[in-house]
Amino acid sequence: MTAGNFLDLLKQEHSPFASVPNLVHTASTAIQTVLTSATTILAFKYRDGLLIAGDRRATAGNMVMYDRADKVINIDRHSVMAIAGSPATAFEMARVLSHSFQYYRRSQLQDLSLEGKVRALSRLLKENVPAAVQGIGTVVPLFAAFDLESGQKHIYFYDMLGAEFEVVDFATTGSGSPGIRGVLHFYNRWNPEPVSSLSQDDAVVLAMRLLETAAEHDSATGGIKTAAQVFPTVKTITEEGVRSLPLDQLKSLYHEKVENRHV
Amino acid sequence: MFEEPYRWAEAVSNRRDYLEDQLQSGSPVVALPCIEGILLLSVSAGTQKVYEIYDRVVLGALGHPADVERLRNIVIDMAHLEGFNRSPSDVSARRLVQFGLAPPVKQAFEEIGRAPYIARLLIAELGKDQSRIFFSLNYDGVFKETHTGLVLATPGEATERCESALKALAGLEDRAMREVFAEAFKLWGLAEVAEEKREAHLQDVLKDREIEAMLLSESVPGPSKVRPLSKAEITTLTEPWRA
């Protein structure tokens, strides 16, 4: 009996995915492997819901390993996790979370509370600390959710140790985030309308402009490549659920309001 | 006590009688194909009767709530471990029934010193190729597969009545859920009472019991294709019996 706890079920069944390996290394045996990582992800509240977006690049040191990574992952119908850090660990955390929430809902015949979901990610990060402090598998995610019970939008960011922090308007993380965090603060503080008043289209345009800004200053953040059809991953969460913005909509908004300067 | 084969066979036979007697008061469960996918329907007097098991698998049960709960947990654990360790595409109703549920149910039935599961289950799956598969699992571990729909009724006459009525319903997979709901509700009634008393019984049921229904449909967004019908939808769909 696991009382709806999927992680406990995995451990009980000795699943190899039950926990991140607790590696033992000393300073003298520091890992020399270059791990795939880096990102810029962001989330903010707009008029009708939440927007979460991320660039598509995965790097290993100064090598670009992949330019079509999806770092914004649906966890359930009303929550999304965006990942910065090591994809190997982060994707696994997202998979564990997704299964955990569904398992809880189906076995306990009720949805896990938002607080429970937020703590579940925190627990995974805490279990990953031994690996993270040894330089492998560090993950610094964002978690965004629409709480159906209260009708409220929530965005959380985490530190490597698993502490969660809820933000009021927006959050950014990843290697390219310092460059856009200030921009978002400036926009939110002095623009005629704060991000929370933006329409969905305007919110998507802002997200693409921010990601292009991040890519301009951070080599580990991928830009938008129209010729190769590489656009950021952009998702919204509203009362109706999570929606991935289709490529055509991103392309059209990009050509109309991002590519050209005077709009 | 059961070391002689005859005594063991007699004990098993007695326990079959006991189980069939225990199941007489259970509320039937109906699962039918429809153009949208699969509709699962039952009427409860408080305890939930139809459940989501995995993205494309649902379960309906007739029997003791505690035993149904034990079996439901077995199959949910198996489905989620399989879906996580391999892939959600590897979770199938056939494997869940054949390898997950049938063996422990049969074992419990034949181990005379142990309590059997007082339950009959219905498991339905909407395949990615839109195939509709239905399984029934009896308290003795016997399971059957069908593709045209299934009624889980109390053993005996009710089951026979429903089987012949279901055979007469052709082409359900081409009919809209709204129409199939009416057929499912009528089949549920037939599983409870004889045809001549059915309409009056269905009208009575709506006064003090709750209808539960789930739709398995490709149109449900996200990986899980299960959508419980809302109370408002059920009220509209049962309007003909609320006059």
Side-chain angles (χ1 to χ4, degrees), chain B:
Chain B
M1 181 180 177
F2 302 113
E3 61 275 10
E4 295 170 41
Y6 171 75
R7 288 185 187 276
W8 181 82
E10 189 187 25
V12 168
S13 173
N14 287 343
R15 118 181 329 223
R16 192 178 291 279
D17 292 342
Y18 163 75
L19 285 165
E20 301 217 344
D21 186 49
Q22 290 290 306
L23 290 169
Q24 284 301 325
S25 57
S27 173
V29 186
V30 182
L32 296 178
C34 57
I35 200 160
E36 292 87 348
I38 290 171
L39 177 76
L40 189 65
L41 177 144
S42 187
V43 177
S44 77
T47 318
Q48 193 169 333
K49 300 275 299 171
V50 297
Y51 306 94
E52 177 181 352
I53 297 300
Y54 204 69
D55 294 351
R56 291 172 172 275
V57 182
V58 290
L59 178 143
L62 184 156
H64 194 291
D67 285 337
V68 169
E69 197 53 31
R70 281 159 66 203
L71 293 170
R72 190 178 73 87
N73 275 302
I74 288 173
V75 75
I76 282 185
D77 284 3
M78 183 182 172
H80 286 77
L81 283 168
E82 182 73 5
F84 183 82
N85 289 332
R86 292 197 172 95
S87 157
S89 304
D90 294 311
V91 178
S92 70
R94 186 172 290 118
R95 295 182 67 233
L96 293 176
V97 172
Q98 199 164 333
F99 307 124
L101 285 172
V105 168
K106 181 179 184 295
Q107 191 175 359
F109 176 69
E110 289 182 345
E111 277 182 18
I112 299 303
R114 194 178 148 195
Y117 291 102
I118 307 172
R120 295 180 72 205
L121 304 183
L122 182 160
I123 295 102
E125 178 187 7
L126 178 67
K128 284 189 173 171
D129 58 357
Q130 297 309 296
S131 58
R132 296 146 174 100
I133 308 169
F134 305 87
F135 285 91
S136 64
L137 176 69
N138 204 20
Y139 53 77
D140 55 5
V142 172
F143 57 92
K144 281 181 192 161
E145 180 179 340
T146 166
H147 297 260
T148 51
L150 202 58
V151 181
L152 207 60
T154 53
E157 256 182 59
T159 298
E160 286 163 23
R161 266 199 314 266
C162 292
E163 279 175 1
S164 54
L166 189 56
K167 270 183 198 160
L169 289 171
L172 285 172
E173 60 279 3
D174 298 322
R175 293 169 67 183
M177 186 273 282
R178 172 176 291 274
E179 293 174 38
V180 172
F181 184 96
E183 297 293 357
F185 192 40
K186 285 195 274 184
L187 272 173
W188 182 88
L190 201 58
E192 286 253 301
V193 294
E195 191 162 5
E196 58 275 15
K197 294 179 187 168
R198 180 173 63 184
E199 290 303 300
H201 181 61
L202 293 180
Q203 286 168 13
D204 284 347
V205 158
L206 290 173
K207 289 175 192 157
D208 56 359
R209 291 169 75 181
E210 200 171 324
I211 297 185
E212 286 178 56
M214 275 181 180
L215 181 68
L216 256 174
S217 168
E218 202 59 50
S219 66
V220 177
S224 176
K225 299 300 169 194
V226 182
R227 181 175 76 79
L229 266 58
S230 68
K231 280 188 178 173
E233 279 179 289
I234 290 172
T235 303
T236 308
L237 291 164
T238 51
E239 207 56 57
W241 291 275
R242 290 181 191 274

